[in-house]
Amino acid sequence: MPELLAELAITELPADEASELVGRLVGQAVAARTDSDEFAAVRELARLSPSLGYPLGVIGDAYYASEWLDCECHADSPERDAAAALEASLRTSNPLDVDSGLLLAVTAVV
């Protein structure tokens, strides 16, 4: 996450605010794709969690939610519903005013 924040020219930001910002960017990038996985934003944010020490906030929420995505036994569970709600929230959050080149680059990797 520090590398991404540096790309956005944000060097100092509390962890919860940084998590929220990255979540909004990933959600916006996933929403721009037509071929993305149903839970692409949740999965992408969950991948960040281990290297960040399993933080709280949207990245931690995504990590927890991702545990329920690939298990058929949770297809109709409250956990799966919560993951779907998180994904929808990430994709429809207030879009950032991001340079189109940066958004395109993030879109290509999520």
Side-chain angles (χ1 to χ4, degrees):
M1 187 162 35
E3 296 84 11
L4 180 56
L5 292 175
E7 280 291 319
L8 296 171
I10 300 170
T11 55
E12 297 285 334
L13 198 61
D16 58 336
E17 290 180 31
S19 175
E20 180 68 28
L21 181 66
V22 171
R24 287 175 59 197
L25 179 61
V26 168
Q28 188 173 346
V30 167
R33 293 184 56 181
T34 58
D35 63 340
S36 63
D37 172 315
E38 176 184 8
F39 293 102
V42 168
R43 291 181 197 279
E44 191 62 34
L45 290 172
R47 285 186 197 105
L48 297 173
S49 193
S51 65
L52 297 173
Y54 303 97
L56 298 176
V58 71
I59 293 174
D61 293 345
Y63 182 78
Y64 176 78
S66 72
E67 294 183 26
W68 311 104
L69 300 182
D70 298 319
C71 178
E72 288 299 320
C73 62
H74 285 93
D76 295 317
S77 69
E79 293 87 3
R80 178 76 174 227
D81 293 344
L86 177 59
E87 182 74 25
S89 173
L90 290 166
R91 290 185 186 214
T92 60
S93 69
N94 186 18
L96 299 168
D97 183 18
V98 178
D99 178 86
S100 61
L102 176 60
L103 185 59
L104 183 61
V106 174
T107 302
V109 296
V110 294

XYZ file of all heavy atoms in Angstrom:
808
model
N 0.810 -1.188 0.000
C 0.000 0.000 0.000
C 0.859 1.261 0.000
O 0.476 2.224 -0.642
C -0.967 -0.020 1.171
C -1.944 1.103 1.109
S -3.440 0.970 2.081
C -2.999 0.149 3.546
N 1.989 1.308 0.685
C 2.805 2.533 0.632
C 3.208 2.907 -0.790
O 3.231 4.090 -1.136
C 4.030 2.181 1.485
C 3.546 1.127 2.416
C 2.543 0.333 1.621
N 3.494 1.906 -1.628
C 3.882 2.194 -3.007
C 2.742 2.841 -3.769
O 2.930 3.784 -4.536
C 4.333 0.910 -3.729
C 5.576 0.286 -3.142
C 5.274 -0.615 -1.939
O 4.098 -0.933 -1.676
O 6.226 -0.981 -1.245
N 1.529 2.309 -3.595
C 0.370 2.868 -4.282
C 0.097 4.285 -3.801
O -0.179 5.174 -4.599
C -0.863 1.980 -4.060
C -2.153 2.457 -4.719
C -1.976 2.647 -6.217
C -3.266 1.469 -4.439
N 0.190 4.511 -2.499
C -0.030 5.850 -1.978
C 1.027 6.824 -2.503
O 0.719 7.978 -2.785
C -0.047 5.844 -0.449
C -1.242 5.115 0.161
C -1.102 5.070 1.679
C -2.553 5.740 -0.249
N 2.250 6.347 -2.666
C 3.292 7.198 -3.236
C 2.950 7.565 -4.673
O 3.140 8.704 -5.105
C 4.644 6.507 -3.170
N 2.405 6.609 -5.439
C 1.971 6.885 -6.811
C 0.881 7.945 -6.840
O 0.786 8.730 -7.772
C 1.451 5.613 -7.484
C 2.509 4.692 -8.010
C 3.247 5.280 -9.197
O 2.617 5.892 -10.077
O 4.480 5.131 -9.226
N 0.031 7.930 -5.813
C -1.045 8.909 -5.719
C -0.569 10.213 -5.086
O -1.365 11.116 -4.863
C -2.213 8.342 -4.900
C -2.924 7.138 -5.498
C -3.902 6.552 -4.492
C -3.636 7.520 -6.779
N 0.716 10.315 -4.782
C 1.337 11.484 -4.160
C 0.795 11.731 -2.756
O 0.663 12.861 -2.307
C 1.187 12.719 -5.034
N 0.481 10.662 -2.055
C 0.020 10.744 -0.673
C 1.053 10.015 0.169
O 1.165 8.804 0.104
C -1.358 10.083 -0.508
C -2.380 10.772 -1.399
C -1.786 10.117 0.953
C -3.695 10.055 -1.482
N 1.832 10.760 0.931
C 2.904 10.119 1.682
C 2.533 9.835 3.128
O 3.006 8.879 3.699
C 4.180 10.982 1.638
O 3.859 12.292 2.102
C 4.727 11.058 0.230
N 1.719 10.661 3.746
C 1.344 10.475 5.146
C -0.175 10.382 5.228
O -0.880 11.322 4.878
C 1.821 11.643 6.003
C 3.320 11.792 6.043
C 3.994 10.749 6.911
O 3.344 10.234 7.846
O 5.165 10.447 6.644
N -0.665 9.245 5.697
C -2.099 9.046 5.830
C -2.320 7.971 6.879
O -1.643 6.936 6.847
C -2.678 8.589 4.487
C -4.162 8.703 4.258
C -4.639 10.142 4.348
C -4.518 8.155 2.882
N -3.228 8.182 7.829
C -3.505 7.130 8.809
C -3.949 5.842 8.114
O -4.567 5.883 7.041
C -4.643 7.718 9.654
C -4.547 9.199 9.454
C -4.011 9.387 8.052
N -3.645 4.713 8.728
C -3.899 3.413 8.106
C -5.354 3.225 7.704
O -5.634 2.719 6.608
C -3.463 2.294 9.045
N -6.301 3.634 8.552
C -7.709 3.433 8.208
C -8.119 4.278 7.014
O -8.861 3.822 6.143
C -8.619 3.698 9.414
C -8.480 5.097 9.983
O -7.427 5.735 9.793
O -9.455 5.558 10.613
N -7.599 5.498 6.921
C -7.904 6.349 5.772
C -7.235 5.810 4.511
O -7.817 5.858 3.429
C -7.465 7.781 6.040
C -8.307 8.482 7.090
C -7.840 9.905 7.345
O -7.325 10.556 6.417
O -7.999 10.356 8.488
N -6.017 5.321 4.638
C -5.318 4.738 3.493
C -6.066 3.509 2.987
O -6.229 3.329 1.780
C -3.891 4.373 3.878
N -6.530 2.684 3.904
C -7.288 1.490 3.540
C -8.552 1.868 2.776
O -8.885 1.274 1.751
C -7.639 0.706 4.811
O -8.455 -0.390 4.524
N -9.252 2.877 3.273
C -10.481 3.348 2.622
C -10.188 3.876 1.222
O -10.899 3.582 0.261
C -11.140 4.432 3.473
C -12.412 4.987 2.906
C -13.556 3.997 2.882
O -13.590 3.089 3.731
O -14.436 4.126 2.008
N -9.121 4.642 1.088
C -8.731 5.204 -0.199
C -8.399 4.104 -1.204
O -8.870 4.118 -2.341
C -7.543 6.148 -0.025
C -7.032 6.827 -1.286
C -8.070 7.783 -1.837
C -5.736 7.566 -0.981
N -7.591 3.142 -0.774
C -7.222 2.037 -1.659
C -8.469 1.215 -2.013
O -8.642 0.805 -3.160
C -6.117 1.170 -1.029
C -5.878 -0.093 -1.836
C -4.829 1.978 -0.924
N -9.352 1.004 -1.050
C -10.592 0.289 -1.322
C -11.435 0.983 -2.376
O -11.978 0.344 -3.281
N -11.540 2.287 -2.271
C -12.303 3.049 -3.269
C -11.658 2.948 -4.649
O -12.348 2.797 -5.661
C -12.411 4.509 -2.844
C -13.364 4.720 -1.677
C -13.376 6.140 -1.183
N -13.754 7.098 -2.208
C -13.519 8.401 -2.110
N -12.897 8.894 -1.052
N -13.903 9.211 -3.065
N -10.333 3.029 -4.699
C -9.634 2.943 -5.981
C -9.801 1.558 -6.605
O -10.106 1.439 -7.795
C -8.150 3.270 -5.811
C -7.307 3.179 -7.079
C -7.805 4.155 -8.141
C -5.841 3.434 -6.759
N -9.618 0.515 -5.810
C -9.780 -0.848 -6.329
C -11.221 -1.075 -6.774
O -11.471 -1.631 -7.843
C -9.333 -1.892 -5.284
C -9.752 -3.292 -5.680
C -7.821 -1.822 -5.088
N -12.180 -0.639 -5.986
C -13.585 -0.783 -6.368
C -13.901 -0.065 -7.663
O -14.604 -0.586 -8.528
N -13.375 1.130 -7.809
C -13.592 1.908 -9.034
C -12.955 1.214 -10.234
O -13.549 1.154 -11.308
C -13.007 3.306 -8.845
C -13.310 4.284 -9.939
C -12.834 5.690 -9.580
O -12.519 5.999 -8.429
N -12.775 6.556 -10.562
N -11.764 0.666 -10.050
C -11.087 -0.037 -11.140
C -11.850 -1.297 -11.536
O -12.021 -1.581 -12.727
C -9.653 -0.386 -10.736
N -12.328 -2.044 -10.557
C -13.086 -3.268 -10.845
C -14.393 -2.922 -11.556
O -14.790 -3.595 -12.506
C -13.346 -4.066 -9.553
C -14.386 -5.145 -9.757
C -12.048 -4.680 -9.046
N -15.056 -1.866 -11.109
C -16.318 -1.461 -11.735
C -16.129 -1.062 -13.197
O -17.051 -1.209 -14.005
C -16.949 -0.315 -10.946
N -14.932 -0.599 -13.539
C -14.655 -0.194 -14.913
C -14.447 -1.375 -15.855
O -14.520 -1.227 -17.070
C -13.417 0.712 -14.948
N -14.211 -2.546 -15.290
C -13.984 -3.742 -16.110
C -15.303 -4.426 -16.417
O -16.189 -4.486 -15.584
C -13.082 -4.725 -15.376
C -11.679 -4.205 -15.210
C -10.790 -5.208 -14.586
N -10.793 -6.443 -15.358
C -10.109 -7.511 -15.022
N -9.398 -7.501 -13.930
N -10.142 -8.590 -15.755
N -15.395 -4.988 -17.600
C -16.604 -5.720 -17.973
C -16.461 -7.210 -17.715
O -17.455 -7.922 -17.683
C -16.936 -5.500 -19.460
O -15.814 -5.916 -20.243
C -17.263 -4.048 -19.735
N -15.254 -7.670 -17.517
C -15.005 -9.109 -17.376
C -14.546 -9.500 -15.977
O -13.965 -10.553 -15.784
C -13.951 -9.553 -18.381
C -12.603 -8.891 -18.153
O -12.551 -7.841 -17.484
O -11.599 -9.424 -18.640
N -14.830 -8.671 -14.985
C -14.309 -8.965 -13.654
C -15.125 -10.027 -12.939
O -16.319 -10.189 -13.154
C -14.248 -7.686 -12.809
O -15.538 -7.173 -12.614
N -14.447 -10.738 -12.066
C -15.039 -11.722 -11.173
C -16.105 -11.037 -10.323
O -15.986 -9.860 -9.993
C -13.892 -12.269 -10.309
C -14.306 -13.184 -9.179
O -15.265 -12.895 -8.458
O -13.620 -14.195 -8.987
N -17.101 -11.770 -9.912
C -18.185 -11.234 -9.088
C -17.669 -10.592 -7.802
O -18.270 -9.654 -7.285
C -19.154 -12.375 -8.752
C -20.266 -11.995 -7.835
C -21.144 -13.179 -7.449
O -20.807 -14.336 -7.777
O -22.164 -12.933 -6.796
N -16.545 -11.074 -7.286
C -15.963 -10.568 -6.051
C -14.537 -10.068 -6.268
O -13.688 -10.198 -5.391
C -15.984 -11.659 -4.971
C -17.369 -12.028 -4.523
C -17.967 -13.184 -4.987
C -18.068 -11.218 -3.649
C -19.243 -13.533 -4.585
C -19.342 -11.550 -3.234
C -19.939 -12.705 -3.704
N -14.265 -9.481 -7.404
C -12.896 -9.067 -7.745
C -12.320 -8.045 -6.772
O -11.148 -8.135 -6.400
C -12.854 -8.522 -9.167
N -13.098 -7.077 -6.343
C -12.581 -6.054 -5.430
C -12.266 -6.660 -4.062
O -11.209 -6.395 -3.491
C -13.572 -4.898 -5.293
N -13.166 -7.478 -3.559
C -12.933 -8.139 -2.270
C -11.680 -9.003 -2.347
O -10.826 -8.959 -1.463
C -14.166 -8.977 -1.843
C -13.830 -9.895 -0.680
C -15.330 -8.064 -1.480
N -11.555 -9.791 -3.397
C -10.393 -10.672 -3.536
C -9.086 -9.876 -3.626
O -8.079 -10.244 -3.029
C -10.545 -11.566 -4.756
C -11.628 -12.610 -4.621
C -11.677 -13.478 -5.890
N -12.888 -14.226 -6.028
C -13.163 -15.380 -5.431
N -12.277 -15.909 -4.604
N -14.298 -16.000 -5.636
N -9.103 -8.800 -4.401
C -7.887 -8.006 -4.573
C -7.470 -7.344 -3.262
O -6.297 -7.357 -2.897
C -8.093 -6.953 -5.658
C -6.828 -6.271 -6.088
C -5.804 -7.206 -6.706
O -6.165 -8.181 -7.385
O -4.594 -6.963 -6.486
N -8.414 -6.779 -2.543
C -8.083 -6.160 -1.257
C -7.634 -7.201 -0.243
O -6.724 -6.949 0.546
C -9.279 -5.373 -0.729
C -9.612 -4.106 -1.522
C -10.921 -3.511 -1.034
C -8.487 -3.093 -1.445
N -8.256 -8.373 -0.267
C -7.875 -9.443 0.661
C -6.427 -9.868 0.448
O -5.730 -10.196 1.409
C -8.805 -10.640 0.490
N -5.955 -9.829 -0.788
C -4.559 -10.190 -1.075
C -3.568 -9.239 -0.405
O -2.430 -9.603 -0.126
C -4.311 -10.199 -2.578
C -4.888 -11.371 -3.277
C -4.475 -11.379 -4.762
N -5.349 -12.264 -5.475
C -6.341 -11.896 -6.280
N -6.555 -10.615 -6.513
N -7.105 -12.768 -6.872
N -3.991 -8.006 -0.169
C -3.118 -7.025 0.480
C -2.973 -7.263 1.980
O -1.986 -6.862 2.585
C -3.671 -5.609 0.272
C -3.753 -5.079 -1.144
C -4.476 -3.743 -1.150
C -2.366 -4.963 -1.750
N -3.959 -7.876 2.576
C -4.043 -7.980 4.025
C -2.829 -8.625 4.698
O -2.293 -8.056 5.650
C -5.326 -8.712 4.422
O -5.573 -8.554 5.787
N -2.351 -9.789 4.254
C -1.213 -10.404 4.952
C 0.037 -9.518 4.977
O 0.698 -9.413 6.013
C -0.958 -11.694 4.171
C -2.278 -12.015 3.545
C -2.881 -10.680 3.216
N 0.339 -8.863 3.867
C 1.558 -8.049 3.836
C 1.418 -6.763 4.641
O 2.418 -6.109 4.942
C 1.941 -7.721 2.390
O 0.954 -6.912 1.790
N 0.187 -6.418 5.010
C -0.043 -5.215 5.813
C -0.322 -5.537 7.277
O -0.728 -4.677 8.038
C -1.217 -4.419 5.225
C -1.008 -3.889 3.814
C -2.293 -3.281 3.279
C 0.123 -2.881 3.781
N -0.129 -6.797 7.649
C -0.346 -7.187 9.037
C -1.808 -7.352 9.398
O -2.179 -7.140 10.548
N -2.633 -7.709 8.427
C -4.067 -7.943 8.659
C -4.733 -6.749 9.333
O -5.219 -6.838 10.456
C -4.285 -9.226 9.464
C -3.670 -10.423 8.793
C -2.403 -10.879 9.175
C -4.331 -11.076 7.765
C -1.816 -11.958 8.536
C -3.752 -12.168 7.129
C -2.492 -12.605 7.514
O -1.926 -13.679 6.877
N -4.774 -5.625 8.640
C -5.315 -4.409 9.248
C -6.835 -4.452 9.404
O -7.516 -5.268 8.785
C -4.932 -3.336 8.233
C -4.961 -4.065 6.919
C -4.410 -5.427 7.247
N -7.312 -3.547 10.211
C -8.751 -3.337 10.313
C -9.192 -2.511 9.109
O -8.395 -2.197 8.240
C -9.077 -2.619 11.624
C -8.696 -3.368 12.899
C -8.981 -2.495 14.115
C -9.453 -4.679 13.003
N -10.430 -2.138 9.060
C -10.927 -1.326 7.961
C -11.340 -2.175 6.776
O -11.521 -3.395 6.894
N -11.459 -1.546 5.645
C -11.996 -2.221 4.465
C -11.099 -3.372 4.000
O -11.595 -4.389 3.524
C -12.291 -1.207 3.333
C -11.014 -0.666 2.730
C -13.177 -1.819 2.270
N -9.794 -3.256 4.158
C -8.904 -4.349 3.754
C -9.090 -5.546 4.674
O -9.169 -6.686 4.216
C -7.437 -3.876 3.696
C -7.280 -2.863 2.561
C -6.490 -5.056 3.512
C -5.915 -2.217 2.473
N -9.208 -5.311 5.963
C -9.497 -6.393 6.906
C -10.861 -7.009 6.657
O -11.027 -8.234 6.709
N -11.846 -6.164 6.367
C -13.187 -6.662 6.046
C -13.146 -7.549 4.807
O -13.795 -8.593 4.748
C -14.161 -5.510 5.812
C -14.446 -4.696 7.058
O -14.124 -5.162 8.179
O -14.976 -3.578 6.905
N -12.381 -7.133 3.815
C -12.266 -7.916 2.580
C -11.580 -9.252 2.849
O -11.973 -10.282 2.295
C -11.500 -7.128 1.520
N -10.559 -9.234 3.690
C -9.870 -10.482 4.015
C -10.835 -11.462 4.681
O -10.907 -12.630 4.304
C -8.670 -10.210 4.925
C -7.899 -11.464 5.246
C -7.022 -12.001 4.322
C -8.068 -12.115 6.457
C -6.316 -13.166 4.598
C -7.375 -13.274 6.748
C -6.502 -13.794 5.813
O -5.826 -14.961 6.093
N -11.584 -10.990 5.645
C -12.560 -11.848 6.324
C -13.615 -12.337 5.325
O -13.941 -13.522 5.290
C -13.222 -11.085 7.476
C -14.297 -11.898 8.150
C -13.961 -12.900 9.056
C -15.641 -11.671 7.885
C -14.944 -13.665 9.671
C -16.628 -12.426 8.501
C -16.276 -13.423 9.385
O -17.247 -14.181 9.979
N -14.129 -11.439 4.507
C -15.176 -11.802 3.546
C -14.679 -12.821 2.526
O -15.434 -13.706 2.101
C -15.685 -10.552 2.825
N -13.420 -12.732 2.140
C -12.894 -13.627 1.107
C -12.868 -15.080 1.547
O -12.872 -15.988 0.711
C -11.495 -13.188 0.672
O -10.542 -13.455 1.691
N -12.851 -15.312 2.853
C -12.815 -16.683 3.360
C -14.084 -17.461 3.012
O -14.077 -18.686 3.031
C -12.617 -16.679 4.873
C -11.262 -16.134 5.281
C -11.044 -16.191 6.771
O -11.651 -17.049 7.435
O -10.265 -15.373 7.277
N -15.158 -16.767 2.696
C -16.450 -17.420 2.473
C -16.803 -17.532 0.991
O -17.839 -18.082 0.646
C -17.553 -16.638 3.192
C -17.204 -16.342 4.600
C -16.788 -15.138 5.106
C -17.194 -17.252 5.696
N -16.519 -15.254 6.445
C -16.768 -16.549 6.837
C -17.509 -18.603 5.817
C -16.646 -17.140 8.087
C -17.387 -19.192 7.069
C -16.961 -18.468 8.177
N -15.983 -17.027 0.101
C -16.371 -16.929 -1.303
C -16.323 -18.229 -2.084
O -17.102 -18.413 -3.009
C -15.497 -15.887 -2.014
C -15.571 -14.480 -1.442
C -14.707 -13.552 -2.262
C -17.003 -13.992 -1.390
N -15.423 -19.112 -1.752
C -15.211 -20.303 -2.565
C -15.715 -21.591 -1.930
O -15.414 -22.674 -2.402
C -13.727 -20.433 -2.906
C -13.248 -19.247 -3.723
O -13.989 -18.807 -4.610
O -12.146 -18.756 -3.454
N -16.489 -21.462 -0.885
C -17.008 -22.636 -0.199
C -18.492 -22.784 -0.508
O -19.297 -21.910 -0.169
C -16.791 -22.485 1.310
S -17.451 -23.843 2.271
N -18.853 -23.869 -1.162
C -20.254 -24.105 -1.504
C -21.149 -24.144 -0.267
O -22.328 -23.796 -0.336
C -20.396 -25.410 -2.293
C -19.868 -25.323 -3.703
C -20.591 -24.287 -4.542
O -21.831 -24.161 -4.436
O -19.909 -23.578 -5.300
N -20.604 -24.562 0.854
C -21.410 -24.646 2.074
C -21.856 -23.275 2.571
O -22.741 -23.179 3.409
C -20.666 -25.397 3.166
S -19.123 -24.616 3.677
N -21.271 -22.210 2.039
C -21.659 -20.858 2.437
C -22.348 -20.090 1.313
O -22.454 -18.867 1.372
C -20.427 -20.078 2.920
C -19.974 -20.492 4.260
N -19.009 -21.442 4.446
C -20.376 -20.118 5.494
C -18.827 -21.632 5.734
N -19.638 -20.848 6.398
N -22.851 -20.797 0.316
C -23.468 -20.140 -0.840
C -24.635 -19.239 -0.448
O -24.834 -18.195 -1.045
C -23.911 -21.179 -1.854
N -25.419 -19.619 0.529
C -26.571 -18.824 0.947
C -26.450 -18.380 2.403
O -27.439 -18.305 3.126
C -27.861 -19.638 0.766
C -28.136 -19.937 -0.689
O -27.960 -19.024 -1.523
O -28.517 -21.081 -0.999
N -25.258 -18.047 2.827
C -25.010 -17.714 4.228
C -24.998 -16.201 4.444
O -24.807 -15.427 3.497
C -23.672 -18.292 4.666
O -22.630 -17.598 4.015
N -25.151 -15.785 5.679
C -25.015 -14.355 5.991
C -23.616 -13.828 5.660
O -23.461 -12.670 5.265
C -25.276 -14.274 7.496
C -25.957 -15.543 7.872
C -25.557 -16.565 6.849
N -22.600 -14.678 5.801
C -21.229 -14.266 5.472
C -21.096 -13.970 3.984
O -20.455 -12.998 3.590
C -20.222 -15.348 5.885
C -20.117 -15.552 7.374
C -21.138 -16.550 7.931
O -21.917 -17.142 7.156
O -21.145 -16.731 9.158
N -21.687 -14.809 3.168
C -21.648 -14.589 1.711
C -22.421 -13.323 1.352
O -22.009 -12.539 0.504
C -22.216 -15.814 1.002
C -22.292 -15.736 -0.496
C -20.924 -15.929 -1.118
N -21.053 -15.988 -2.558
C -20.483 -16.875 -3.313
N -19.719 -17.802 -2.776
N -20.635 -16.857 -4.597
N -23.563 -13.118 2.013
C -24.342 -11.901 1.787
C -23.543 -10.660 2.176
O -23.587 -9.637 1.485
C -25.652 -11.937 2.576
C -26.619 -13.004 2.069
O -26.435 -13.506 0.938
O -27.552 -13.337 2.830
N -22.796 -10.743 3.273
C -21.960 -9.626 3.705
C -20.844 -9.356 2.690
O -20.521 -8.200 2.407
C -21.369 -9.897 5.085
N -20.277 -10.417 2.120
C -19.241 -10.258 1.091
C -19.827 -9.584 -0.146
O -19.196 -8.710 -0.747
C -18.626 -11.605 0.740
N -21.034 -9.976 -0.538
C -21.698 -9.366 -1.695
C -21.988 -7.886 -1.430
O -21.801 -7.035 -2.312
C -22.974 -10.121 -2.029
N -22.416 -7.570 -0.207
C -22.687 -6.173 0.142
C -21.401 -5.347 0.140
O -21.396 -4.203 -0.340
C -23.365 -6.100 1.507
N -20.299 -5.915 0.633
C -19.020 -5.220 0.625
C -18.567 -4.968 -0.804
O -18.138 -3.863 -1.142
C -17.962 -6.009 1.405
C -16.558 -5.413 1.420
C -16.550 -4.010 2.012
C -15.608 -6.331 2.187
N -18.670 -5.978 -1.653
C -18.284 -5.814 -3.065
C -19.111 -4.710 -3.724
O -18.562 -3.846 -4.417
C -18.464 -7.130 -3.824
C -18.049 -7.079 -5.272
C -16.551 -7.064 -5.514
O -15.795 -7.540 -4.655
O -16.130 -6.586 -6.585
N -20.410 -4.733 -3.507
C -21.279 -3.714 -4.102
C -20.904 -2.320 -3.592
O -20.850 -1.361 -4.365
C -22.739 -4.029 -3.785
N -20.617 -2.216 -2.310
C -20.225 -0.938 -1.727
C -18.917 -0.434 -2.331
O -18.789 0.753 -2.653
C -20.090 -1.098 -0.216
O -19.557 0.063 0.357
N -17.956 -1.328 -2.488
C -16.673 -0.936 -3.070
C -16.835 -0.452 -4.510
O -16.215 0.520 -4.918
C -15.693 -2.116 -3.030
C -15.190 -2.499 -1.648
C -14.518 -3.857 -1.678
C -14.250 -1.435 -1.106
N -17.672 -1.129 -5.258
C -17.850 -0.771 -6.670
C -18.649 0.507 -6.874
O -18.533 1.140 -7.918
C -18.534 -1.910 -7.418
C -17.645 -3.117 -7.584
C -18.319 -4.164 -8.419
N -17.537 -5.380 -8.478
C -17.489 -6.169 -9.536
N -18.188 -5.874 -10.614
N -16.762 -7.257 -9.507
N -19.464 0.860 -5.907
C -20.334 2.023 -6.089
C -19.995 3.175 -5.170
O -20.744 4.149 -5.108
C -21.814 1.626 -5.874
O -21.985 1.121 -4.557
C -22.266 0.595 -6.892
N -18.874 3.077 -4.453
C -18.501 4.165 -3.546
C -18.230 5.432 -4.345
O -18.067 5.399 -5.564
C -17.274 3.784 -2.720
O -16.132 3.708 -3.549
N -18.157 6.520 -3.638
C -17.898 7.808 -4.255
C -16.616 7.721 -5.089
O -15.534 7.542 -4.534
C -17.762 8.856 -3.148
C -17.634 10.249 -3.687
O -17.965 10.520 -4.831
N -17.143 11.138 -2.855
N -16.711 7.838 -6.416
C -15.508 7.670 -7.248
C -14.459 8.756 -6.984
O -14.790 9.898 -6.700
C -16.022 7.752 -8.679
C -17.442 8.141 -8.606
C -17.893 8.123 -7.191
N -13.229 8.332 -7.061
C -12.106 9.253 -6.903
C -11.862 9.987 -8.218
O -12.121 9.450 -9.296
C -10.851 8.479 -6.517
C -10.908 7.713 -5.208
C -9.724 6.766 -5.101
C -10.951 8.670 -4.040
N -11.339 11.176 -8.135
C -10.939 11.921 -9.320
C -9.512 11.479 -9.649
O -8.540 12.069 -9.186
C -11.003 13.421 -9.055
C -10.673 14.244 -10.284
O -10.714 13.707 -11.413
O -10.353 15.433 -10.115
N -9.421 10.373 -10.400
C -8.142 9.726 -10.674
C -7.770 9.938 -12.134
O -8.629 9.850 -13.022
C -8.247 8.214 -10.380
C -6.958 7.495 -10.708
C -8.636 7.978 -8.945
N -6.503 10.198 -12.368
C -6.004 10.299 -13.733
C -6.383 9.042 -14.497
O -6.249 7.931 -13.984
C -4.476 10.468 -13.697
C -3.883 10.537 -15.081
O -3.848 11.647 -15.641
O -3.466 9.473 -15.597
N -6.853 9.186 -15.703
C -7.325 8.045 -16.483
C -6.227 7.015 -16.722
O -6.497 5.804 -16.759
C -7.929 8.500 -17.812
O -6.948 9.178 -18.586
N -4.981 7.438 -16.844
C -3.872 6.511 -17.034
C -3.642 5.629 -15.805
O -3.414 4.439 -15.932
N -3.741 6.240 -14.625
C -3.581 5.468 -13.397
C -4.740 4.489 -13.235
O -4.529 3.334 -12.904
C -3.486 6.399 -12.184
C -3.411 5.686 -10.826
C -2.189 4.788 -10.733
C -3.414 6.715 -9.704
N -5.958 4.956 -13.480
C -7.117 4.068 -13.368
C -6.997 2.903 -14.358
O -7.266 1.762 -14.011
C -8.420 4.831 -13.583
C -9.679 4.018 -13.370
C -9.751 3.443 -11.951
C -10.917 4.859 -13.666
N -6.557 3.183 -15.560
C -6.363 2.136 -16.559
C -5.322 1.128 -16.085
O -5.493 -0.088 -16.216
C -5.958 2.727 -17.895
C -5.778 1.773 -19.063
C -7.089 1.039 -19.367
C -5.310 2.509 -20.289
N -4.232 1.609 -15.497
C -3.182 0.708 -15.003
C -3.702 -0.165 -13.872
O -3.440 -1.369 -13.832
C -1.976 1.522 -14.528
N -4.447 0.416 -12.945
C -5.005 -0.375 -11.834
C -6.039 -1.345 -12.361
O -6.093 -2.495 -11.941
C -5.596 0.552 -10.748
C -6.301 -0.257 -9.671
C -4.509 1.430 -10.134
N -6.843 -0.911 -13.306
C -7.875 -1.774 -13.901
C -7.261 -3.003 -14.559
O -7.824 -4.091 -14.494
C -8.710 -0.975 -14.930
O -9.292 0.145 -14.269
C -9.810 -1.825 -15.524
N -6.098 -2.843 -15.134
C -5.442 -3.948 -15.836
C -4.954 -5.043 -14.890
O -4.780 -6.180 -15.313
C -4.272 -3.423 -16.660
N -4.767 -4.715 -13.623
C -4.206 -5.715 -12.699
C -5.200 -6.246 -11.679
O -4.860 -7.127 -10.903
C -2.951 -5.165 -11.970
C -1.854 -4.879 -12.947
C -3.280 -3.966 -11.128
N -6.400 -5.724 -11.620
C -7.390 -6.235 -10.670
C -8.417 -7.087 -11.370
O -8.642 -7.018 -12.500
C -8.104 -5.121 -9.855
C -7.133 -4.427 -8.959
C -8.845 -4.160 -10.719
